[in-house]
Amino acid sequence: MLDKKLYDLQEILRELESVVVAFSGGVDSTFLLKVALDVLGPEHVLAVTADSETYPSTELEEAKRLAQLLGAPHQVIETSELNIPGYAENNKNRCYFCKQGLFEEIKPILDQSGFKNVVYGLIADDMSEHRPGTRAAREHGVRGPLQEANLFKEEIRELSKQMNLETWEKPSFACLSSRIAYGEMITLEKLTKVEKSERYLKGLGLRQIRVRTHGDIARIEVEPHEMEKLLPHNEEVTNQLREYGYKYITLDLAGYKSGSMNR
């Protein structure tokens, strides 16, 4: 079954002939980039990464390193979600504005390169979640080959492992804006506060981290089995996150869950 899905993905990419890959350096886009390079060759593939306020600098450097490691032509573009009308207001269609802005920025690159298609890391799991960005993709004719091949996250991790991609066990990541409760204005100050907090917590050896922001409350999500790593540092964590600007620091006993703000 997995071999069949990989074959389907390869066929989809082969039919696209040449692609610009919206590349974040995460599990899905790295796998997509790798398969695109294998099928089409580097002369027909371009990885594009958007450097913005919502994308941590550590992730940008990781994306650059991974693209080089894979031998992919790579271009970094400067974007600003906070300047996109409707984005900072942070309603439930926030991701639509983000993806719309991203694809509009990529279109001139597509035209200049002569490539035929833009692809991004949409996966089968996403179809059961609130993903307004998919509407922007449809409007711009952007394809999601992983989803079209019906590949789920765990299958992508398994195939990535088989291909010796180091991202096979990389923690899931989403933009920093996803940490801020819907309805709260997104500001550079809040994004910086989240980025600093998550970087600090990862330094304690925690693998999967989210610092969900509800006003002056930090709701920390980690995987349940990692809570015991965090609790002995409770006073230190409290003091550090207060220094970053939070007033109350909490631990979500339900543990990490992707897209938990959608609840």
Side-chain angles (χ1 to χ4, degrees):
M1 176 65 76
L2 207 50
D3 288 343
K4 173 64 166 58
K5 289 188 178 185
L6 177 58
Y7 174 81
D8 289 345
L9 173 62
Q10 292 167 334
E11 287 301 296
I12 291 167
L13 289 167
R14 192 168 284 116
E15 290 172 6
L16 294 178
E17 297 184 6
S18 59
V19 294
V20 172
V21 181
F23 180 61
S24 68
V27 179
D28 307 321
S29 66
T30 300
F31 174 70
L32 177 59
L33 179 59
K34 164 65 174 170
V35 179
L37 289 165
D38 288 348
V39 171
L40 301 175
E43 67 275 15
H44 299 297
V45 176
L46 174 64
V48 173
T49 302
D51 179 17
S52 75
E53 314 95 334
T54 70
Y55 189 54
S57 57
T58 52
E59 290 294 318
L60 174 61
E61 293 308 310
E62 181 72 355
K64 291 178 181 177
R65 186 183 67 82
L66 287 168
Q68 184 176 25
L69 189 65
L70 293 174
H74 187 213
Q75 184 172 341
V76 177
I77 58 175
E78 301 286 336
T79 63
S80 175
E81 282 90 346
L82 294 183
N83 288 327
I84 299 172
Y87 183 88
E89 287 77 3
N90 196 21
N91 63 34
K92 290 197 173 183
N93 287 321
R94 180 193 66 230
C95 290
Y96 168 78
F97 298 114
C98 173
K99 286 293 190 290
Q100 186 181 55
L102 173 63
F103 298 142
E104 285 176 355
E105 291 285 346
I106 289 178
K107 188 178 185 306
I109 298 172
L110 188 74
D111 296 339
Q112 292 163 13
S113 67
F115 287 4
K116 297 185 176 181
N117 295 280
V118 179
V119 296
Y120 76 127
L122 184 72
I123 61 175
D125 309 63
D126 296 334
M127 305 314 290
S128 61
E129 298 179 3
H130 177 63
R131 298 280 179 172
T134 59
R135 178 162 67 93
R138 288 195 301 272
E139 290 174 359
H140 287 271
V142 174
R143 300 279 293 272
L146 302 177
Q147 182 271 323
E148 293 176 27
N150 199 35
L151 279 160
F152 289 84
K153 176 72 80 175
E154 289 309 309
E155 295 173 324
I156 291 165
R157 289 191 184 278
E158 176 57 33
L159 287 168
S160 296
K161 185 178 182 180
Q162 292 176 18
M163 294 178 181
N164 295 315
L165 292 175
E166 60 184 75
T167 49
W168 77 269
E169 59 178 350
K170 184 176 181 177
S172 297
F173 180 78
C175 81
L176 295 173
S177 295
S178 67
R179 320 299 201 257
I180 299 171
Y182 288 123
E184 280 191 43
M185 284 290 292
I186 299 172
T187 65
L188 182 57
E189 179 184 5
K190 291 178 184 178
L191 296 172
T192 301
K193 184 166 62 173
V194 171
E195 181 176 3
K196 286 181 176 178
S197 299
E198 293 190 355
R199 185 188 302 141
Y200 163 73
L201 290 167
K202 286 176 183 176
L204 298 178
L206 298 163
R207 179 178 180 274
Q208 185 77 69
I209 291 287
R210 293 289 186 272
V211 178
R212 309 291 189 188
T213 299
H214 306 262
D216 54 10
I217 299 172
R219 175 169 59 86
I220 300 172
E221 292 182 11
V222 298
E223 293 175 324
H225 68 274
E226 289 203 307
M227 289 182 187
E228 62 185 22
K229 288 185 185 178
L230 181 60
L231 291 174
H233 301 278
N234 66 311
E235 187 173 347
E236 175 190 339
V237 169
T238 298
N239 291 336
Q240 189 63 63
L241 267 62
R242 280 179 177 165
E243 187 175 310
Y244 293 148
Y246 292 106
K247 187 173 182 180
Y248 303 103
I249 291 82
T250 68
L251 175 63
D252 191 328
L253 297 181
Y256 163 76
K257 181 173 176 57
S258 175
S260 70
M261 284 302 201
N262 292 329
R263 292 179 296 186

